[in-house]
Amino acid sequence: MKIKVKFFASLRDRIGRSEESLDLDGGAVTVADVWSEVVEESIPDGILIAVNMEYTDGSHSLSEGDEVAFFPPVTGG
């Protein structure tokens, strides 16, 4: 299954790239699986996640061609 992964703001800096394409093997793949594949740790608290421009959480199951975006926590007023 091929998906596109995007990282924004400080996550982009931390991970060292703004996006990448992944070709994942196996059956059900969640957003949390993608994060673990790329970052090799569990998703930190406060990270915002979107799949195909809709906010979701780490348990969201992915499909071929999905775009996953990770955003750092936002503060301010």
Side-chain angles (χ1 to χ4, degrees):
M1 169 173 49
K2 293 184 180 183
I3 61 168
K4 182 182 282 186
V5 184
K6 294 184 172 185
F7 304 96
F8 290 89
S10 61
L11 291 177
R12 176 185 58 228
D13 298 336
R14 175 179 165 198
I15 295 168
R17 54 193 175 275
S18 61
E19 67 178 67
E20 68 179 88
S21 295
L22 294 178
D23 192 357
L24 303 168
D25 293 329
V29 176
T30 66
V31 170
D33 295 332
V34 169
W35 179 270
S36 296
E37 174 80 16
V38 174
V39 185
E40 298 179 356
E41 64 183 44
S42 59
I43 299 175
D45 290 340
I47 298 291
L48 298 175
I49 302 163
V51 175
N52 301 327
M53 296 190 226
E54 300 269 338
Y55 285 112
T56 187
D57 60 29
S59 66
H60 185 98
S61 294
L62 298 172
S63 301
E64 175 77 25
D66 280 347
E67 179 182 274
V68 181
F70 295 99
F71 304 87
V74 178
T75 59

